[in-house]
Amino acid sequence: MLEVRDLRFAYNGADVFSGVDFAVAPGAVLGVLGPNGAGKSTLLRCVLHLLRPRAGEVLVDGRASAAMGPRERAALLAYVPQARPLKLPLTVFEAVLMGRRPHMAWRPSAHDLERADAAIRALGLAALAGRDFDALSGGQGQKVLLARAFAQEARYLLLDEPTSSLDLRHQEEVLGLVAETARERAVGALVAIHDLNAALRFCDAVLVLHQGGVAACGAPDDVLSARTVREVYGVDVVEVDCAGRRAFLPAGPPAPRAAETDAMRGGGTPCGNVALRGDGADVPAPSRDACGGAPRDPGARAERDRSYTNP
Amino acid sequence: MTAAPPTAPDCRSGCTPDCTSGCAPGMNPGCVSGQALGLDPSASPTAVYGALLARKTGMLALLAVLLVAVVLAGLCAGASGLSPAQVLGGLARQNDFAATVVWQLRLPRVLMAALVGAGLAAGGVASQAILRNPLASPFTLGVASGAAFGAALVIVSGSMSRWLPAASAFCFALAASFLVLGIARIKRGAAGGSSVLILGGVAIMFLFSSLTSFIQYLGTEHEVQAIVFWAFGSLSKACWPEVAVACLMILPPLPLLLRVSWDLNLLAAGDDAARSMGVDVARLRAGGLVLGALATAGAICFTGVVGFIGLVAPHLARMLVGGDHRVLLPAACCLGAALVAAADLVGRTLWQPQIIPIGIMTSFLGVPFFLHLLLRRGREDW
């Protein structure tokens, strides 16, 4: 269990967030949502101890992360930063093999090579193994970094917008792979993500950061509503329900940032014959309880996926 | 991770179309890559890596052979007109003319040239890795200007000592890099980011340069000449005791740098990524900087400022064997050593019996070689 308790962080005296509590169980995917600047990346970096939180603690399988050595922590937590390195004068295989660093001696063992090989194959990069990293496209590079994190064989994956430069197909593949890896290898994943609809489908739980704290946390279906989205992102959305699968669509221009009034917000505009629901008042306010990040029932998800592909 | 079965065809997830075809635009035809090896595109990633590694190791062996060849050529060339057979005979004997020339004049000089080249190359590899900047060299961190100031200080003091200029140059070279490190520590606490190091290094470089200029301004004509001549770089003072001391200063940092080669690789992925993979980035940076400065200071304190090798040998090696420091570091050392030894060889024979200072020759010889590889390559720097 990756537990975060009452975490607070400040840059130059100004709080970025405070009172952040959550837990990620092995096998679960917890999505971290929130507008730009809400502190998603900062939260991930605090959990990794790349930044020192002002208060609170991070427990990895019951042990304080702050008390661990860098190598020990690296064997438990794998990280893919948001920014791709500007230059990495290595081949794809070498770049992925780097993820073995916490386990590896100077000379990689057969097991190290095998793990790197498997990670490269899992992300469909086998044909690129001998390529220079710098010659790859943005999306390919992002997959290489993910493969490196997979090769690290950590207990928890911390991914900062892992799909930001991927096209739709690769987004689906990568998030699907993260969810599958989490389930089958009992790996916990903490994923900062912007795409609400992807979060609805791939995350077992979501944590919404807003205005210096946790605005909501819980199962995506419970937490994400048109009302929450409007409050957090300042955008009116309509919620589309298609064969049991929910999605949000923007329903108008974003609300003005500063003086937001009820009159300006308006309501979601129904469009066509798609069923709409949850346009605000009838949805209960998001709760901060039940923030467990435990794996959802995989049967239910599989059932829903089937109904989606074959309505 | 839960990969397809090992025999499954690759690229099952539909990479972008160019992934199965030939070289990407800008792929270096000569570089070590899967395509260059003509591997079956369905070869397993591990097999591709194995083939790459074998090829890199082969290239490294080739560079070692090149170094030995250059050293032997350097032994055979000189003003006394000995034939290669006489030189080789002189190596085996003692107490005749050929033996004296080879053992007392040529061998220490050639070995010193090779040592200096290896030290500068190692310093260059370390600085480029820890500063994550292809334009960096230990000279960027003020090591050379510190050394020049140290030597100038002793020269104007009128000391006739054999060791004092070198000792002072060595100390000031290290002092310069410790100053840079201190600046970075103050600025960023324990982390010490790379841009702070570069800017601090440039500031320290200018500080020592102006101090040297000030000494020259105050000095006599004879002293100024001596300082300028020191800055050219020269191997003429290389004797066995100097070679032995240089060995002690240049060689120990090399295995220590090689030991952290995985960490140096990781640093290229970014500070955060490296730290998340278990690297103590601040310590690695400080350690790499000090080891690189030691190797560089050891190299230049006896010979003066030999430019260009520290910048170029790592690049040349990277073009030939790629960026994995486990191979890159020894390859760069071999190349640097061979380049300086070759530059000395040309400098001694071109205008016989005049000797062109080594610091001038390295650039003459290195620039065309470097430009050739740079222009042949599609990509920009590293």
Side-chain angles (χ1 to χ4, degrees), chain B residues 18 65 69 101 162 174 190 238 248 308 313 359 370:
Chain B
D18 70 328
V65 170
V101 168
R162 177 180 186 178
L174 282 189
L248 286 178
F308 200 61
F370 181 62

Side-chain angles (χ1 to χ4, degrees), chain B residues 60-133:
Chain B
L60 181 59
L62 211 65
L63 289 174
V65 170
L66 173 75
L67 172 59
V68 172
V70 171
V71 165
L72 286 177
L75 282 180
C76 294
S80 54
L82 295 172
S83 72
Q86 284 172 307
V87 168
L88 291 179
L91 266 179
R93 285 193 306 275
Q94 281 176 346
N95 305 325
D96 72 353
F97 176 66
T100 311
V101 168
V102 171
W103 280 100
Q104 295 310 316
L105 297 175
R106 291 191 188 167
L107 195 57
R109 185 182 177 107
V110 172
L111 285 184
M112 186 61 131
L115 269 174
V116 166
L120 291 171
V125 170
S127 341
Q128 288 176 6
I130 61 168
L131 300 178
R132 210 181 304 128
N133 190 322

Side-chain angles (χ1 to χ4, degrees), chain A residues 214-297:
Chain A
V214 178
C217 185
D221 284 332
D222 303 337
V223 166
L224 293 177
S225 65
R227 176 174 155 173
T228 321
V229 174
R230 184 196 296 144
E231 278 172 7
V232 171
Y233 293 93
V235 176
D236 277 315
V237 291
V238 290
E239 194 180 323
V240 184
D241 198 329
C242 176
R245 176 157 288 197
R246 301 165 64 209
F248 294 105
L249 292 175
R257 282 181 191 278
E260 226 178 312
T261 66
D262 278 2
M264 284 169 169
R265 283 189 198 159
T269 321
C271 60
N273 50 6
V274 188
L276 301 180
R277 64 171 229 215
D279 185 31
D282 54 329
V283 173
S287 80
R288 286 190 47 180
D289 316 326
C291 192
R296 276 195 297 200
D297 176 14

Side-chain angles (χ1 to χ4, degrees), chain A residues 90-92 128-136, chain B residues 22-37 52 376-379:
Chain A
L90 296 173
T91 60
V92 167
L128 302 176
R131 269 294 174 82
D132 288 330
F133 181 87
D134 289 336
L136 301 181
Chain B
C23 294
M27 202 78 182
N28 168 23
C31 87
V32 182
S33 73
Q35 280 75 18
L37 291 173
L52 285 176
R376 208 176 60 127
R377 267 162 66 88
R379 275 185 289 127

Side-chain angles (χ1 to χ4, degrees), chain A residues 45 94 101 117 122 140 180, chain B residues 1-2 16 46 56 263 272:
Chain A
R45 297 178 71 207
E94 287 164 339
R101 160 66 168 67
D117 188 291
Q140 291 168 338
E180 183 189 308
Chain B
M1 207 131 143
T2 53
T16 45
T46 314
K56 288 177 177 196
D263 293 359
D272 272 2

Side-chain angles (χ1 to χ4, degrees), chain A residues 180-238:
Chain A
E180 183 189 308
T181 306
R183 228 173 18 242
E184 293 181 1
R185 301 205 162 223
V187 167
L190 184 61
V191 186
I193 192 166
H194 272 304
D195 185 339
L196 299 175
N197 298 323
L200 274 173
R201 295 188 15 242
F202 290 104
C203 296
D204 298 301
V206 293
L207 176 86
V208 184
L209 284 178
H210 184 47
Q211 290 177 342
V214 178
C217 185
D221 284 332
D222 303 337
V223 166
L224 293 177
S225 65
R227 176 174 155 173
T228 321
V229 174
R230 184 196 296 144
E231 278 172 7
V232 171
Y233 293 93
V235 176
D236 277 315
V237 291
V238 290

Side-chain angles (χ1 to χ4, degrees), chain A residues 45 50 70 74 87 89 93-94 101 106 108 117 121-122 124 126 130-132 140 148 150 173 180 184-185, chain B residues 1-2 6 10 12-13 15-16 22 34 44 46 49 56 258 261-263 266 272 275-276 323 326 379 382:
Chain A
R45 297 178 71 207
L50 297 173
K87 290 275 175 191
F93 195 95
E94 287 164 339
R101 160 66 168 67
W106 195 79
D117 188 291
R121 284 172 193 275
R131 269 294 174 82
D132 288 330
Q140 291 168 338
R148 185 193 72 201
F150 281 171
E173 279 174 12
E180 183 189 308
E184 293 181 1
R185 301 205 162 223
Chain B
M1 207 131 143
T2 53
D10 296 320
R12 67 187 165 95
S13 56
C15 313
T16 45
S44 87
T46 314
Y49 175 68
K56 288 177 177 196
L258 197 60
S261 40
W262 274 112
D263 293 359
L266 283 159
D272 272 2
R275 286 168 72 193
S276 78
R326 292 184 304 156
R379 275 185 289 127
W382 63 355

